[in-house]
Amino acid sequence: MSKICIVPKVDGIGGMASFRLKFEQGLRARGVDVTHDLSADSDAALVIAGTRNLLPLWKARQRGQRIVQRLDGINWVHRKRNTGLKHYLRAEYGNFILSFIRRFIATNIIYQSEFSKAWWEQKYGKTRVPFAVIHNGIDLNTYSVRQESILPYPPFRLLLVEGNLGGGYDMGLDNAIALTETLIEKHNLPVELIAVGKISEEHRQRVETKTRAPIQWMGSVPRERIPEIMRSAHLFFSADLHPACPNSVIEALACGLPVVGFDTGAVKELVIGDSGRVVPYGSNSWNIEPPDISALAVAAKEILQNQPHFSQIARNHAESALGLDKMVDAYLKVLLGKKD
């Protein structure tokens, strides 16, 4: 029986923990054993996040073990906006650890997108080890389409899902509100914003004093509720700037929820054809300048006026390219050194 060591053992409800759990599930379904002990015998180690246990990782490399590093994006917002000293130091430390493993320890690299690959190579140079680009995948049974073919409206429900809607990452919320306002005021569409994510009461009240757009605040919700919420919406707004491979976009597509967003990061690699619309940002996104909300609203209107068509294409694309089985099989080829 093959055995894969996955480090670090990330827990919680975030993206890394979600990836670990579903990936381990996929491995065990294929008869592959899983460990988190680098000193144990295994066929390969998969490094899914930064780790302080560099010495055990180095020793495993010295024993001849295959060390595969899965790379997301690079921390960057802390250099453009004030996210606090603690966050700044943590972000810089994270970049250092990941780049160190990439340069000195990893025997193989898995980038989550072509965008992620280009970003790492631009910032830290090309690697001398083999690499692959593998998009994230999800359980297509858990993230599935709704039973009704057409959702009731008005209003149209625009969904925003972020881990944190405040702090230095509130630009996503600001853009979602601006999009909602534009659709209501300039396009005469009845739209309600559904905001999922952590936000303080003070910040929420401050936002509500500046807009008349209807907002349903859902706060932080358990991951198990996300599919149900996505199936209740008409359109998903991809709010993150320069995401390496946003799971929320993949989850939305799998639920038959069309996606609208700006052309930053890997969004255009995931939102293909009529699964949604990706529009130019309209200014310097790396400096977090104001985007072209008008172009975004035109794209959103097109989707809302033909939502069933876009919904079907979104699900079809997820089934063909973004399933968990496809991702696990691709990872195993790298981890076990299999060739096509």
Side-chain angles (χ1 to χ4, degrees):
M1 175 185 290
S2 299
K3 180 186 287 187
I4 302 297
C5 177
I6 301 178
V7 291
K9 187 180 180 182
V10 184
D11 292 308
I13 60 174
M16 291 290 185
S18 174
F19 169 84
R20 180 182 70 80
L21 291 171
K22 65 186 179 184
F23 185 63
E24 289 182 8
Q25 178 185 359
L27 290 178
R28 293 190 174 104
R30 288 160 175 76
V32 178
D33 199 8
V34 176
T35 181
H36 302 285
D37 183 1
L38 282 166
S39 65
D41 289 334
S42 62
D43 294 277
L46 176 64
V47 184
I48 64 173
T51 174
R52 289 174 288 184
N53 297 320
L54 295 178
L55 184 57
L57 199 60
W58 176 258
K59 288 181 177 179
R61 164 70 188 263
Q62 293 301 102
R63 293 196 305 269
Q65 188 174 53
R66 183 183 292 255
I67 309 293
V68 180
Q69 184 182 25
R70 173 185 185 257
L71 280 173
D72 195 348
I74 300 171
N75 295 318
W76 68 282
V77 174
H78 64 287
R79 292 190 173 188
K80 300 295 182 178
R81 304 190 74 165
N82 180 18
T83 58
L85 179 61
K86 183 178 179 181
H87 180 273
Y88 184 96
L89 295 175
R90 188 168 64 244
E92 287 294 316
Y93 177 74
N95 286 343
F96 169 75
I97 291 294
L98 291 175
S99 61
F100 184 89
I101 295 172
R102 178 179 180 267
R103 182 176 181 184
F104 295 109
I105 302 180
T107 63
N108 297 76
I109 302 292
I110 292 177
Y111 297 104
Q112 294 182 37
S113 62
E114 294 289 349
F115 167 77
S116 177
K117 171 183 172 292
W119 194 2
W120 277 96
E121 290 183 347
Q122 179 185 27
K123 180 75 174 177
Y124 295 102
K126 294 184 178 181
T127 65
R128 297 176 181 172
V129 302
F131 66 86
V133 174
I134 304 173
H135 288 148
N136 294 335
I138 57 165
D139 185 339
L140 295 170
N141 292 317
T142 299
Y143 291 87
S144 58
V145 295
R146 57 186 173 271
Q147 297 301 313
E148 323 89 67
S149 58
I150 299 180
L151 272 173
Y153 68 93
F156 291 111
R157 294 162 62 89
L158 173 66
L159 179 62
L160 168 69
V161 177
E162 289 288 311
N164 194 332
L165 297 172
Y169 294 86
D170 51 1
M171 62 272 194
L173 175 59
D174 293 340
N175 291 337
I177 292 172
L179 173 59
T180 305
E181 292 172 339
T182 304
L183 287 169
I184 294 172
E185 297 168 7
K186 294 188 177 181
H187 296 280
N188 198 30
L189 291 175
V191 179
E192 176 186 32
L193 176 62
I194 311 299
V196 175
K198 182 180 178 182
I199 187 169
S200 68
E201 180 66 20
E202 178 186 3
H203 187 190
R204 184 183 66 80
Q205 291 180 357
R206 188 165 63 248
V207 168
E208 288 182 338
T209 61
K210 296 179 181 179
T211 182
R212 286 187 285 181
I215 305 174
Q216 183 180 149
W217 303 97
M218 302 198 71
S220 295
V221 301
R223 176 162 291 276
E224 310 85 70
R225 286 198 59 204
I226 295 297
E228 162 202 345
I229 294 171
M230 286 184 164
R231 284 190 287 267
S232 72
H234 297 86
L235 181 61
F236 182 86
F237 172 48
S238 176
D240 197 8
L241 281 184
H242 302 295
C245 191
N247 283 314
S248 59
V249 168
I250 299 173
E251 292 165 357
L253 294 172
C255 289
L257 180 59
V259 175
V260 67
F262 292 112
D263 185 6
T264 73
V267 177
K268 66 181 178 183
E269 295 179 42
L270 303 175
V271 183
I272 305 297
D274 283 357
S275 62
R277 286 289 182 263
V278 180
V279 302
Y281 189 81
S283 62
N284 190 334
S285 55
W286 289 106
N287 286 333
I288 317 182
E289 295 175 359
D292 187 353
I293 296 295
S294 296
L296 190 70
V298 170
K301 179 181 180 181
E302 179 189 2
I303 295 172
L304 292 175
Q305 289 181 331
N306 197 4
Q307 206 272 344
H309 166 75
F310 281 86
S311 175
Q312 182 63 58
I313 300 300
R315 175 64 186 185
N316 290 347
H317 174 54
E319 289 178 348
S320 66
L322 301 170
L324 180 61
D325 287 339
K326 185 181 180 72
M327 183 196 76
V328 173
D329 289 341
Y331 268 73
L332 276 176
K333 286 182 180 179
V334 178
L335 288 162
L336 301 180
K338 295 181 178 179
K339 296 183 179 180
D340 292 326

